[in-house]
Amino acid sequence: QVQLVESGGGLVQPGGSLTLSCTSSGANLDNYVLGWVRQAPGKEREGVSCILRNGGSIFITPSAKGRFTTSRDDAKNTVYLQMNDLRPEDTAVYYCVAESILTATMTRPDLFGSWGQGTQVTVSS
């Protein structure tokens, strides 16, 4: 497992944008698939995105396609989630997740083994 730390959450109005960042200080993430998972109050966890090293393969959940993008800077051990046109239903705690490239399922970041502490994103007017 790796230690992950998220940042960048907050309160934003509908239609606004936020960028979440996640970094690992103690591990080289080259051999990990990195992703984001969110959980809204009273709802199941939802896998939002995944990305391979060098951005070779990317998954975005259908509800976020066209609005969210993910990227990573492997030199900085950092993954990003750029969220545009935010909606109230995007309100959730967003978790950064990681899994070895040998065992990861790209469409199921919610099953990854390493999780950050989470950052709250609230979309409200």
Side-chain angles (χ1 to χ4, degrees), residues 93-109:
V93 177
Y94 283 71
Y95 298 90
C96 178
V97 295
E99 180 70 24
S100 168
I101 192 172
L102 298 176
T103 53
T105 299
M106 285 294 289
T107 56
R108 294 298 306 274

Side-chain angles (χ1 to χ4, degrees), residues 7-8 19-20 30 37 42 50-51 69-70 76 98 110 119:
S7 61
T19 298
L20 306 182
D30 282 0
V37 175
C50 280
I51 185 169
T69 59
T70 188
K76 295 182 178 179
D110 56 308
T119 186

